[in-house]
Amino acid sequence: MQTTCGIVQVGRVCPQPTVDLGDGVHLPFVSLGTGSGLKNVNVTYATMLWLGAGGTGIDTAYNYRWMPVQKHIAKGIAAAASRVKLPRQRERHVNDLGADVFLITKIPCSTYDEAKRHIESNLKDLQVSAVDLTLIHFRMSGCSLCGTSRALEEAKEAGQTRQIGVSHFIEKDFTELKTTAKVWPPALTQNSLSVGFHDDATIKYCAEHKIAYMVRPPLSTRAVRASRRMTSLRPRPVLACAVLCCAVLCCAALRCAALRCAAL
């Protein structure tokens, strides 16, 4: 495990844990998910708060475009950069907005030509020339996995994304991808994982092939439904309890980081 800098406290920078994805790319352990933007929530302020608190990872997707989430993220990054001197983690210029942010975005599995357009659209909406990580969002009936992955490989070679991966893939999807991929293995897969749901076969496959397994929010609708089946409690109390526990853990982690930083 590698560590980089990210939490700002009294003018100092404290280490945050990261996952080494290869090629000098280090994924923050925790990223801000922006899917709530699909529920008519403007994520600009959430982005500002996240970066102001020392967070660096931001997760979004082309499929969030209709709200338009990625444009709101760009505004939040620019606003945060103007208000807070965000730490520089790497010597390279990460983005064009004056902030050091680890940007994760996704494109749907489609065709080669469509995937190229989706990649360009993501960069335009986020107002950057490159992102840190681009994923194939999920498999769809009739899509060209070969064409989509080829477009991603070319985007990495062209410097439009530093690393590439997949999302919502299971073992058979990886098997198919491996037959045509020039870049193997993918750096990462982003899948669901919670107390009520875990795909042990895919987790094992990823471990054997050195593919990082990034967990989507364990408080997702699927996790809440699973918790309801397991505990016979109503979903709202289950979710409220889970959110409270998560908030307590996050606050404790941030408090610990702040104390460590103050001691430096």
Side-chain angles (χ1 to χ4, degrees):
M1 182 190 303
Q2 301 288 330
T3 58
T4 59
C5 299
I7 294 178
V8 180
Q9 178 73 13
V10 294
R12 298 186 179 91
V13 178
C14 293
Q16 282 191 61
T18 61
V19 176
D20 187 352
L21 299 182
D23 294 337
V25 180
H26 300 282
L27 172 73
F29 253 45
V30 181
S31 296
L32 174 69
T34 57
S36 58
L38 297 176
K39 300 178 181 179
N40 203 28
V41 176
N42 190 319
V43 300
T44 297
Y45 192 56
T47 301
M48 291 170 57
L49 289 175
W50 176 245
L51 297 176
T56 55
I58 299 178
D59 184 291
T60 185
Y62 176 87
N63 284 351
Y64 302 168
R65 189 170 183 265
W66 63 278
M67 268 319 291
V69 173
Q70 298 196 119
K71 292 182 179 179
H72 293 164
I73 291 171
K75 291 179 180 178
I77 294 174
S82 66
R83 295 186 181 189
V84 182
K85 186 177 180 181
L86 299 174
R88 289 282 173 186
Q89 297 178 187
R90 297 173 292 272
E91 293 182 359
R92 70 180 191 85
H93 184 61
V94 177
N95 59 52
D96 309 309
L97 299 172
D100 187 4
V101 180
F102 193 100
L103 286 174
I104 307 166
T105 190
K106 312 175 194 72
I107 60 171
C109 182
S110 52
T111 65
Y112 171 77
D113 290 334
E114 288 178 331
K116 297 282 281 187
R117 288 194 293 269
H118 295 158
I119 292 167
E120 293 288 349
S121 176
N122 284 344
L123 297 177
K124 181 179 178 181
D125 286 350
L126 290 167
Q127 298 180 28
V128 296
S129 57
V131 295
D132 293 281
L133 178 63
T134 306
L135 311 177
I136 299 176
H137 207 161
F138 46 78
R139 296 290 304 276
M140 294 186 294
S141 176
C143 79
S144 171
L145 180 57
C146 175
T148 305
S149 63
R150 181 160 65 93
L152 271 189
E153 290 170 349
E154 291 179 0
K156 181 182 178 184
E157 186 176 353
Q160 293 176 309
T161 181
R162 299 177 64 213
Q163 203 39 290
I164 59 177
V166 296
S167 178
H168 297 287
F169 269 44
I170 59 177
E171 186 174 357
K172 69 180 184 66
D173 296 323
F174 285 110
T175 302
E176 180 180 343
L177 177 63
K178 188 176 182 180
T179 61
T180 59
K182 293 182 179 179
V183 178
W184 180 264
L188 172 148
T189 185
Q190 186 184 95
N191 288 14
S192 296
L193 180 67
S194 68
V195 173
F197 175 83
H198 46 91
D199 182 355
D200 293 339
T202 300
I203 293 172
K204 180 181 178 181
Y205 182 92
C206 290
E208 291 174 346
H209 290 81
K210 301 186 185 306
I211 301 170
Y213 196 95
M214 183 179 185
V215 178
R216 291 182 61 248
L219 303 181
S220 62
T221 304
R222 173 183 284 183
V224 172
R225 286 200 299 264
S227 298
R228 186 182 184 186
R229 291 194 301 270
M230 294 169 65
T231 64
S232 74
L233 295 175
R234 293 181 180 179
R236 286 187 179 179
V238 170
L239 180 58
C241 180
V243 170
L244 178 61
C245 291
C246 183
V248 170
L249 289 173
C250 288
C251 288
L254 289 173
R255 176 62 176 166
C256 178
L259 290 174
R260 287 177 57 197
C261 189
L264 293 179

